[in-house]
Amino acid sequence: MTLPANFVFSAKSLQSYVDCPRRFQLRYIEGWRPPTMTASNTADELAYEARLRQGAKLHHFAKLSQQGVPQDMLKAAIKGEDAAQWFDKLLSNGLSGLPEKRLPEKRLETTLNGLRLMAQFDLIAYDPGGDLVIVDWKTGDTMPGRETLRQRLQTIVYLYVAAQAGERLMGEPLSPERVHLVYAYLARGGQRNSFTYSHLDMLADAGRLTDLMGEIKRADDFPLTTNHSHCRFCAFRVQCERGEAGSLDDVDYDDVDEADEAELGFEQIGEFGF
């Protein structure tokens, strides 16, 4: 069992492997797609997908707002939904204090020990000759502690890729100290958790990422996770015979932002109206 040729690692794929090697195998090596939700799914499963779809909608409308679509038009299109409340917070608080030059849904890529690594950012804001700020919209109700956030693969990959590939975007050398990451928690009024970077951080992150990507590259066995909490709403739970879905009360939607929300795919957002 080998990775596809020219496989591109991401925070999503790396987190998938860390959470459950079998999930990584099914999704990224065998190319399985998650099954479509139907009326036969439990109420919690349907509510779970509905919440993810609201998150996907928020990200789509945030992108459109940064591409110049009038805000009043966007607000009218999503009024009366959770995404509408999050969008209001994004406009009122989620964009304040950022550099003026902004690129929504921007992808950057670098290589590490011959392996490709990419990050898809909700927003990059920067000033030529100044700082580069990564912004990630969060729609979960919880706000993890700083150390928990700093150790997440999303944080590690985003900061590392931006520090390595950002100079191509800015057209000049970019020191790690000029790279910043902001998590904006829209369901909590736009509260932020921000991280700066450093050369020492970049070296430590490079070592961790090298070890993890090398482990995946060499792996010939992808066992099921022993932590059943990762199975609660996994799209492949039935295939792995891991039982019923968990309770929505236990879901941290900021964890699934990186692992599962993307499975909805932005190809589905045409029905959102824009």
Side-chain angles (χ1 to χ4, degrees):
M1 191 75 65
T2 58
L3 288 174
N6 296 318
F7 183 78
V8 182
F9 287 97
S10 66
K12 293 181 180 69
S13 62
L14 292 171
Q15 190 65 60
S16 186
Y17 177 83
V18 170
D19 288 346
C20 178
R22 181 65 55 79
R23 181 195 292 176
F24 179 93
Q25 176 189 6
L26 293 173
R27 179 182 287 157
Y28 296 104
I29 297 179
E30 298 186 14
W32 286 32
R33 301 297 297 170
T36 301
M37 288 284 184
T38 68
S40 63
N41 290 100
T42 68
D44 276 353
E45 286 176 307
L46 295 172
Y48 173 83
E49 180 178 290
R51 178 64 179 261
L52 295 188
R53 290 176 65 82
Q54 287 289 300
K57 182 181 290 189
L58 177 279
H59 282 77
H60 178 55
F61 277 71
K63 174 183 177 180
L64 293 176
S65 75
Q66 294 302 293
Q67 291 178 330
V69 177
Q71 294 177 1
D72 289 346
M73 185 182 299
L74 295 174
K75 287 183 178 182
I78 58 173
K79 62 183 178 181
E81 302 185 52
D82 288 340
Q85 299 178 35
W86 302 333
F87 189 62
D88 283 342
K89 294 302 180 183
L90 183 149
L91 296 178
S92 64
N93 194 26
L95 296 167
S96 60
L98 298 176
E100 290 301 317
K101 195 168 182 63
R102 299 173 184 178
L103 298 172
E105 296 296 328
K106 180 65 177 178
R107 170 176 169 151
L108 294 178
E109 183 176 319
T110 189
T111 58
L112 184 57
N113 283 358
L115 299 175
R116 298 170 66 189
L117 177 66
M118 63 80 69
Q120 180 83 23
F121 304 107
D122 288 346
L123 182 71
I124 291 179
Y126 68 96
D127 288 323
D131 290 347
L132 183 151
V133 182
I134 308 156
V135 185
D136 189 75
W137 320 122
K138 292 296 187 187
T139 57
D141 297 320
T142 60
M143 188 171 178
R146 286 185 56 80
E147 185 57 28
T148 297
L149 276 175
R150 183 59 185 88
Q151 295 305 314
R152 283 185 174 174
L153 281 160
Q154 182 183 16
T155 303
I156 292 170
V157 170
Y158 277 22
L159 286 168
Y160 182 81
V161 170
Q164 290 292 317
E167 68 178 46
R168 296 197 298 272
L169 179 67
M170 300 182 74
E172 61 183 8
L174 178 67
S175 67
E177 287 74 15
R178 291 167 57 193
V179 177
H180 310 273
L181 170 61
V182 175
Y183 290 116
Y185 287 82
L186 303 178
R188 295 176 63 90
Q191 285 183 263
R192 299 183 182 189
N193 219 326
S194 303
F195 296 88
T196 57
Y197 212 37
S198 71
H199 183 69
L200 289 178
D201 290 332
M202 188 172 67
L203 291 177
D205 290 345
R208 179 174 175 182
L209 291 169
T210 295
D211 290 344
L212 181 56
M213 291 191 295
E215 177 184 326
I216 297 172
K217 184 72 174 178
R218 296 186 299 270
D220 54 15
D221 182 42
F222 294 85
L224 285 169
T225 180
T226 58
N227 184 350
H228 285 233
S229 67
H230 292 308
C231 305
R232 291 175 301 194
F233 288 93
C234 177
F236 308 114
R237 187 182 67 257
V238 174
Q239 286 85 349
C240 297
E241 299 181 351
R242 277 294 171 96
E244 298 297 323
S247 168
L248 282 179
D249 294 336
D250 298 327
V251 175
D252 180 350
Y253 285 96
D254 289 327
D255 280 337
V256 300
D257 276 351
E258 274 301 291
D260 296 319
E261 184 177 330
E263 292 298 349
L264 290 175
F266 276 88
E267 67 275 7
Q268 297 185 27
I269 58 179
E271 66 193 72
F272 293 168
F274 286 89

